[in-house]
């Protein structure tokens, strides 16, 4: 009836890149480096959904050796993952995610991020939780070298 999955992702912060988190282009001095748009949150969310059905991970589904995914919009990739979840006879029960970033403050963008994920997942915003925290200046997120994200997804049989 129910399947649960976990996802985790990290991207390095560099100059000259956009900072896109949960499909929101967030103004900042540095952005996330990656083959796609490097949306660390959506990557963790996709891996959680894929993990719930033991369908592998996004590295396997959208390989970074494939030019088709260079600069890819992670909202579109998430759409494809949701399509596969449905194809396998499941829908999203709820998602809970945490973004770990020392900067910038994500609070002003949380509602917009939740709306984006709810839209692409075809569910209500009440089913999508996104939280942001820091690691108190400790480790790579604390030193602003990168941003990480964790997500869990509960899927239910349609
Ligand atoms: Zn990623």
């Amino acid at each position: 009836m129910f399947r649960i999955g976990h996802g985790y992702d990290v991207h390095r912060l560099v100059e000259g890149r956009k900072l896109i988190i949960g499909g929101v282009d967030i103004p900042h001095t540095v952005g996330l480096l990656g083959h796609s748009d490097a949306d660390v949150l959506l990557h963790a969310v996709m891996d959680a959904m894929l993990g719930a059905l033991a369908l592998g991970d996004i590295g396997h589904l959208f390989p970074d050796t494939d030019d088709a995914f260079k600069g890819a919009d992670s909202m579109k990739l998430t759409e494809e993952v949701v399509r596969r979840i449905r194809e396998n006879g499941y829908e999203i029960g709820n998602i809970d995610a945490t973004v770990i970033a020392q900067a910038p403050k994500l609070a002003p963008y949380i509602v917009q991020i939740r709306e984006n994920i709810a839209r692409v997942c075809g569910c209500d915003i009440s089913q999508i939780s996104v939280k942001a925290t820091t690691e108190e200046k400790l480790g790579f997120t604390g030193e602003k070298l990168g941003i990480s994200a964790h997500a869990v997804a509960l899927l239910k049989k349609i």
Side-chain angles (χ1 to χ4, degrees):
M1 234 12 221
F2 295 100
R3 302 280 300 221
I4 192 164
H6 170 260
Y8 174 68
D9 195 31
V10 173
H11 283 269
R12 187 182 289 274
L13 281 165
V14 295
E15 284 178 5
R17 288 273 303 185
K18 285 183 169 192
L19 178 61
I20 297 173
I21 297 181
V24 180
D25 190 342
I26 296 170
H28 196 42
T29 51
V30 286
L32 294 172
L33 181 65
H35 185 68
S36 68
D37 62 2
D39 191 325
V40 66
L41 173 57
L42 290 184
H43 292 184
V45 165
M46 284 189 269
D47 270 354
M49 293 193 281
L50 291 168
L53 296 186
L55 293 175
D57 59 34
I58 53 168
H60 163 81
L61 215 61
F62 312 116
D64 64 8
T65 48
D66 189 336
D67 272 353
F69 304 117
K70 192 166 159 52
D73 177 354
S74 293
M75 288 288 282
K76 293 258 183 294
L77 304 182
T78 308
E79 224 171 74
E80 171 60 19
V81 168
V82 172
R83 194 188 64 73
R84 288 183 189 224
I85 296 304
R86 294 237 164 82
E87 198 176 73
N88 278 272
Y90 281 81
E91 63 181 7
I92 292 147
N94 72 296
I95 289 169
D96 183 24
T98 303
V99 181
I100 301 158
Q102 191 65 40
K105 285 261 170 278
L106 298 176
Y109 307 103
I110 292 290
V111 171
Q112 202 184 336
I113 290 170
R114 290 174 62 213
E115 280 170 357
N116 279 349
I117 298 175
R119 190 174 66 248
V120 80
C121 289
C123 54
D124 191 76
I125 191 169
S126 66
Q127 292 166 273
I128 309 295
S129 163
V130 175
K131 311 179 300 299
T133 190
T134 73
E135 286 184 309
E136 300 287 341
K137 298 183 180 170
L138 295 167
F140 70 85
T141 69
E143 290 173 21
K144 302 179 185 173
L145 299 174
I147 292 179
S148 65
H150 292 262
V152 287
L154 184 74
L155 306 183
K156 52 185 183 185
K157 217 168 193 147
I158 296 170

